[in-house]
Amino acid sequence: MQPTRIAAAWKGLAACQSCGIRRLALFADLEAEDFAHIHLPIEERSIPAGASLYGLDDPAEAVFTVRAGLVKLVHIQPDGGQRIVRLVRAGGVAGIEALVRPTYPHAAMALQPVELCRIPTSVVTRLQTETPRLHQRLMEKWYEALSVADDFLTELATGHARQRLARLLLWLSEDAPDQPVRLFSREDLGAILGVTLETTSRTISEFRRSGVLTTLSHNLVRCDRAALADIAG
């Protein structure tokens, strides 16, 4: 990654306010001299929708901070089926398990075009040794990842399909309530909600007919968040 981009993110220039590194709790407490140590080893990457960040049981060599877009973490079930167990959006971290285990326990793929930074685990380990402030941030970020996973499974795996979809749409529109939401494939939606493809398609159609969702273009919808909140319960 170019040092000028990192420097801009550190200084908080307007163009970099949404940078995942700037917002990331792992680095939120670092000072300028600490931040300087990690400029060069970090790689900035653009990942197209559908592409893989890493696979199940791949060597865990880096953590990934998401700057834009959406990443899905997929659990491969014993029968070969897949279940999306977590979504990582801008400011979040994928692959944080690399700090404590040799391989990744999930596969990670881009649900939407993703901008991210790849941070080698050696960088984080060195900072943890040289910068005591980072240790607490690591623990907080680990707890946050676990909490998000627990909430994700609880909210989106309980209740009927209408409730689950409403909760997901509220989550997707949470950061920018007035902006449209881009849906992903019905297969991915079903894998997130734990319902069939047919149920997913039927529920989306119902939301459109009732005005809860307004289609702006292909897979781009505007949400009635008040109506979704009523459905979500």
Side-chain angles (χ1 to χ4, degrees):
M1 181 186 286
Q2 299 176 0
T4 52
R5 295 286 297 275
I6 294 287
W10 174 253
K11 293 176 182 176
L13 299 180
C16 294
Q17 284 293 331
S18 62
C19 177
I21 290 178
R22 178 68 177 171
R23 298 172 58 191
L24 179 60
L26 280 177
F27 301 112
D29 202 34
L30 297 185
E31 298 175 359
E33 58 269 26
D34 304 321
F35 206 66
H37 291 303
I38 61 174
H39 288 178
L40 295 180
I42 294 178
E43 299 176 39
E44 186 178 29
R45 294 183 176 182
S46 297
I47 309 294
S52 173
L53 278 68
Y54 53 81
L56 173 67
D57 291 332
D58 279 358
E61 299 173 340
V63 296
F64 300 82
T65 68
V66 179
R67 298 176 55 225
L70 197 63
V71 171
K72 64 178 179 180
L73 301 186
V74 180
H75 174 67
I76 310 299
Q77 299 173 329
D79 62 0
Q82 298 185 3
R83 180 70 191 275
I84 298 175
V85 295
R86 196 186 316 160
L87 297 179
V88 183
R89 55 188 173 187
V93 186
I96 197 169
E97 297 89 351
L99 301 177
V100 295
R101 54 176 294 159
T103 60
Y104 294 111
H106 306 108
M109 288 175 278
L111 267 174
Q112 302 168 350
V114 170
E115 300 290 333
L116 57 78
C117 293
R118 180 186 184 276
I119 306 172
T121 53
S122 59
V123 172
V124 181
T125 301
R126 187 175 72 248
L127 282 173
Q128 185 173 348
T129 301
E130 299 175 357
T131 310
R133 290 185 303 279
L134 184 59
H135 179 72
Q136 181 62 30
R137 293 296 183 186
L138 284 169
M139 296 302 100
E140 291 172 1
K141 199 62 183 178
W142 180 260
Y143 176 75
E144 178 187 320
L146 292 176
S147 297
V148 168
D150 288 345
D151 292 344
F152 189 84
L153 290 172
T154 300
E155 292 294 319
L156 302 185
T158 59
H160 51 68
R162 296 177 74 252
Q163 288 178 306
R164 298 184 190 191
L165 180 59
R167 292 167 185 161
L168 177 60
L169 291 168
L170 286 170
W171 186 85
L172 290 172
S173 61
E174 186 175 54
D175 285 346
D178 298 327
Q179 298 300 312
V181 169
R182 184 164 298 281
L183 299 178
F184 19 94
S185 72
R186 301 296 185 268
E187 291 83 358
D188 280 329
L189 286 170
I192 292 169
L193 302 175
V195 299
T196 64
L197 173 63
E198 293 76 12
T199 298
T200 302
S201 297
R202 185 170 61 250
T203 307
I204 291 174
S205 296
E206 178 189 338
F207 280 10
R208 284 175 167 154
R209 287 195 302 271
S210 63
V212 176
L213 296 181
T214 301
T215 301
L216 303 179
S217 63
H218 178 65
N219 277 349
L220 189 69
V221 298
R222 189 175 300 282
C223 301
D224 183 338
R225 285 179 54 86
L228 288 172
D230 286 341
I231 295 170

